[in-house]
């Protein structure tokens, strides 16, 4: 279902926005889109491995360094608190200087941090490395989501953004335990956890090399009045070739010759906290705090929880992988639903099901079989929700503040990932599984209430919020003049 695009001759650039929407819909999905998505997914896959790293090495660090569950939660807190800062900074930079600027830098920071973690002699140095990793990891995902939302047509936009979480939250979370088992098998001994961090460095460097082929998004270029450059990117998308000589194609967006300097375009990032946009930002921040906090708490603590129940580290990682199979299916389902179903419907039904699955784990699962089954179902709905929020967030903001708005939403989720595992760790120490998953069930109840206050964006132009606000301003001004 392709949504309406709004245009009005009274509004600056509105006709060009409509032309861009039409161009992207006409171009559809080409090999250029496939290449862009693939390159972005490479980095996101290993971001997910890094996100799971503390959970994977936690039992080993607990034995070797004598760490407590609270110490492991602290390492996770440092990672995700830094990631929240990285997302906000990357969003600010991306709205001012372009989406591509932060991609390679974030990936290189991620690699540097992994190297520090691999060589860490103690908890303090490990925390420093995790802070650097977090900064790069946070910016990476936020910019990836924004870029794919701006490269794709109205019908394919939800699927493309959803695929990021298929590679990151879905495939990444599913394969992370297998990745850990592989590394620990190839490099046994007390330093096996160091080899895991070393292995995380190489793919990131390779991804940074290939990403130089990803162009700036046409929506950002148009927002900076760079019509010729936007047309050039559209021509590359239509041709299916991102490298080589620039293709000579049609003029997708009309160029009237009136070029304003990019510097004249003012970026007011705080706009997302004012007026109609604030009424989108606040409830979505509440919603993402709940679902990210739940997800990261489970990712961080589950191997440690299973070891505390008497299973070996290898079996705990294997059992975690079984549960994470639901993550992959959930991310795939969200990507499919992003093409066919309204965002709020998916989020509401998914949250209710996640709440029920959490209650089942905490209060009904009395055997490992039931824990694994309920855990897989829980992870399915968690990734369904998280992926749909990734699709939803960039659709709520106009191009001029989309990167920052999306980054701030994801940063809020990252902050939840930083602090909620500390709460979950203490609840587990005090009340066991029932304490952790009882808290998570309540969180999804709050999620459901928050999401029902949001506007629906399915099938609409991603710049509809901008155009609607501008239309209202024009009408109000006309009334005032009369």
């Amino acid at each position: 279902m392709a949504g309406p695009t709004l245009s009005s001759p009274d509004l600056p650039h509105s006709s060009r926005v409509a032309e861009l929407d039409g161009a992207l819909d006409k171009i559809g999905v080409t090999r250029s889109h496939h290449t862009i998505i693939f390159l972005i997914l490479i980095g996101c896959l290993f971001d997910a491995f890094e996100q799971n790293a503390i959970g994977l090495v936690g039992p080993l660090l607990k034995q070797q360094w004598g760490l407590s569950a609270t110490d492991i939660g602290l390492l996770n807190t440092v990672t995700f608190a830094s990631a929240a800062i990285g997302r906000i900074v990357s969003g600010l930079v991306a709205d001012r200087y372009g989406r591509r600027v932060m991609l390679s830098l974030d990936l290189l920071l991620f690699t540097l941090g992994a190297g520090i973690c691999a060589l860490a002699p103690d908890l303090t140095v490990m925390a420093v490395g995790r802070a650097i990793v977090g900064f790069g990891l946070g910016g990476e995902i936020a910019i990836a989501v924004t870029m794919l939302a701006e490269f794709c047509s109205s019908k394919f936009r939800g699927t493309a953004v959803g695929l990021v979480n298929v590679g990151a939250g879905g495939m990444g979370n599913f394969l992370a335990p297998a990745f850990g088992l592989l590394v620990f098998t190839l490099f046994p001994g007390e330093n096996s956890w160091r080899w895991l961090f070393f292995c995380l460095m190489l793919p990131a460097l390779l991804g940074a090399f290939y990403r130089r082929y990803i162009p700036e998004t046409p929506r950002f270029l148009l927002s900076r009045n760079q019509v010729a450059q936007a047309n050039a990117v559209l021509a590359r998308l239509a041709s299916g070739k991102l490298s080589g000589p620039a293709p000579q194609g049609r003029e997708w967006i009309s160029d009237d010759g009136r070029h304003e300097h990019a510097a004249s375009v003012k970026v007011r990032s705080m706009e997302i906290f004012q007026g109609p946009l604030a009424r989108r930002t606040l409830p979505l921040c509440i919603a993402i705090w709940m679902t990210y906090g739940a997800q990261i708490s489970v990712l961080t603590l589950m191997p440690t929880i299973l070891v505390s129940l008497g299973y070996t580290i290898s079996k705990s990682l294997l059992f975690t992988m079984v549960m994470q199979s639901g993550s992959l299916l959930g991310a795939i389902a969200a990507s499919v639903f992003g093409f066919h179903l309204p965002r709020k419907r998916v989020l509401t039904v998914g949250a209710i099901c996640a709440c029920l699955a959490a209650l089942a784990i905490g209060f009904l699962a009395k055997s490992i079989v039931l824990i694994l089954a309920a855990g897989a179902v829980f992870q399915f709905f968690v990734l369904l929700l998280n992926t749909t929020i990734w699709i939803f967030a960039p659709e709520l903001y106009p191009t001029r503040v989309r990167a920052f708005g999306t980054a701030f939403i994801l940063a809020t989720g990252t902050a939840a990932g930083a602090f909620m595992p500390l709460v979950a760790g203490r609840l587990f120490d005090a009340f066991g599984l029932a304490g952790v998953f009882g808290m998570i069930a309540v969180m999804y109840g709050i999620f459901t209430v928050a999401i029902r206050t949001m506007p629906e964006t399915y099938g609409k132009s991603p710049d509809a919020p901008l155009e609607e606000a501008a239309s209202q301003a024009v009408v109000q001004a006309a009334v005032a003049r009369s």
Side-chain angles (χ1 to χ4, degrees):
M1 171 181 175
T5 55
L6 305 177
S7 63
S8 168
D10 299 323
L11 301 176
H13 310 301
S14 62
S15 62
R16 289 179 179 174
V17 170
E19 286 178 327
L20 175 57
D21 289 330
L24 289 173
D25 285 341
K26 186 168 185 177
I27 291 170
V29 184
T30 69
R31 285 193 303 168
S32 293
H33 290 93
H34 297 159
T35 302
I36 291 170
I37 292 171
F38 174 74
L39 293 177
I40 287 177
L41 286 184
I42 290 176
C44 291
L45 175 67
F46 286 93
D47 282 354
F49 284 1
E50 184 58 73
Q51 178 176 290
N52 282 270
I54 292 301
L56 295 174
V57 305
L60 295 174
L61 293 179
K62 189 174 182 179
Q63 292 177 0
Q64 191 173 132
W65 287 355
L67 302 183
S68 65
T70 302
D71 292 327
I72 295 172
L74 177 62
L75 286 175
N76 187 83
T77 296
V78 170
T79 304
F80 286 92
S82 180
I85 298 171
R87 284 182 171 169
I88 291 174
V89 172
S90 294
L92 289 169
V93 172
D95 278 334
R96 284 165 173 76
Y97 303 107
R99 314 316 194 195
R100 299 179 66 224
V101 174
M102 291 301 295
L103 275 181
S104 295
L105 179 58
D106 284 330
L107 211 53
L108 290 173
L109 286 172
F110 167 94
T111 305
L112 173 64
I116 293 174
C117 290
L119 299 173
D122 53 35
L123 181 62
T124 301
V125 176
M126 175 68 77
V128 172
R130 297 307 298 171
I132 297 174
V133 164
F135 192 97
L137 186 151
E140 171 91 1
I141 296 294
I143 302 306
V145 168
T146 300
M147 291 189 78
L148 287 181
E150 294 183 348
F151 271 124
C152 298
S153 65
S154 59
K155 290 188 70 174
F156 187 64
R157 185 173 65 236
T159 298
V161 175
L163 287 173
V164 174
N165 218 20
V166 172
M171 187 68 72
N173 287 339
F174 174 65
L175 293 179
F179 177 72
L181 282 173
L182 176 63
V183 174
F184 296 157
T185 301
L186 294 176
F187 305 100
E190 64 178 11
N191 289 322
S192 58
W193 62 269
R194 297 185 187 274
W195 283 106
L196 184 140
F197 287 115
F198 276 129
C199 291
L200 286 172
M201 296 173 64
L202 298 178
L205 290 172
L206 182 63
F209 173 80
Y210 281 116
R211 288 196 182 191
R212 63 193 180 95
Y213 294 106
I214 300 178
E216 185 54 82
T217 72
R219 287 195 184 276
F220 177 81
L221 292 171
L222 184 60
S223 74
R224 289 299 185 270
N225 306 304
Q226 298 173 356
V227 179
Q229 292 91 326
N231 275 321
V233 173
L234 290 171
R236 286 201 177 276
L237 293 177
S239 71
K241 297 179 180 179
L242 293 176
S243 59
Q248 299 297 318
R250 57 182 288 183
E251 187 179 79
W252 296 94
I253 304 172
S254 60
D255 190 350
D256 58 9
R258 298 188 309 175
H259 298 288
E260 303 174 35
H261 294 296
S264 66
V265 180
K266 296 185 181 299
V267 178
R268 299 182 178 89
S269 299
M270 295 302 104
E271 184 181 352
I272 71 168
F273 306 114
Q274 301 168 359
L277 292 184
R279 292 191 288 273
R280 299 163 185 240
T281 300
L282 180 59
L284 195 56
C285 282
I286 293 173
I288 201 169
W289 180 281
M290 298 303 156
T291 187
Y292 261 54
Q295 180 198 19
I296 303 305
S297 294
V298 174
L299 287 178
T300 303
L301 294 177
M302 188 53 70
T304 302
I305 288 173
L306 291 172
V307 169
S308 72
L309 294 177
Y311 298 99
T312 64
I313 293 175
S314 296
K315 281 190 175 182
S316 296
L317 291 177
L318 181 61
F319 290 158
T320 301
M321 183 177 175
V322 172
M323 285 187 281
Q324 291 295 357
S325 64
S327 298
L328 175 59
L329 297 176
I332 293 173
S335 187
V336 173
F337 292 162
F339 191 89
H340 295 287
L341 296 175
R343 315 308 186 210
K344 289 176 62 176
R345 185 186 306 171
V346 175
L347 291 169
T348 301
V349 175
I352 293 172
C353 292
C355 178
L356 295 175
L359 290 173
I361 297 172
F363 298 95
L364 300 179
K366 303 302 181 182
S367 69
I368 189 61
V369 174
L370 291 176
I371 290 175
L372 294 180
V377 172
F378 174 76
Q379 291 293 347
F380 174 89
F381 288 109
V382 168
L383 264 293
L384 174 70
L385 295 171
N386 290 0
T387 305
T388 303
I389 285 183
W390 287 21
I391 296 170
F392 198 27
E395 296 177 340
L396 291 168
Y397 299 102
T399 298
R400 65 176 178 270
V401 292
R402 180 171 297 123
F404 179 67
T406 302
F408 186 84
I409 295 301
L410 298 187
T412 302
T414 304
F419 295 105
M420 292 310 296
L422 290 175
V423 178
R426 290 185 178 276
L427 286 173
F428 177 71
D429 289 339
F431 304 105
L433 279 177
V436 174
F437 286 95
M439 177 193 74
I440 289 174
V442 172
M443 292 169 70
Y444 278 112
I446 297 172
F447 177 103
T448 304
V449 174
I451 215 66
R452 297 309 302 170
T453 68
M454 303 292 293
E456 184 56 71
T457 60
Y458 175 66
K460 298 181 180 180
S461 167
D463 281 307
L466 171 64
E467 300 300 325
E468 289 166 0
S471 297
Q472 292 173 1
V474 169
V475 171
Q476 290 172 356
V479 171
R481 287 195 297 271
S482 63

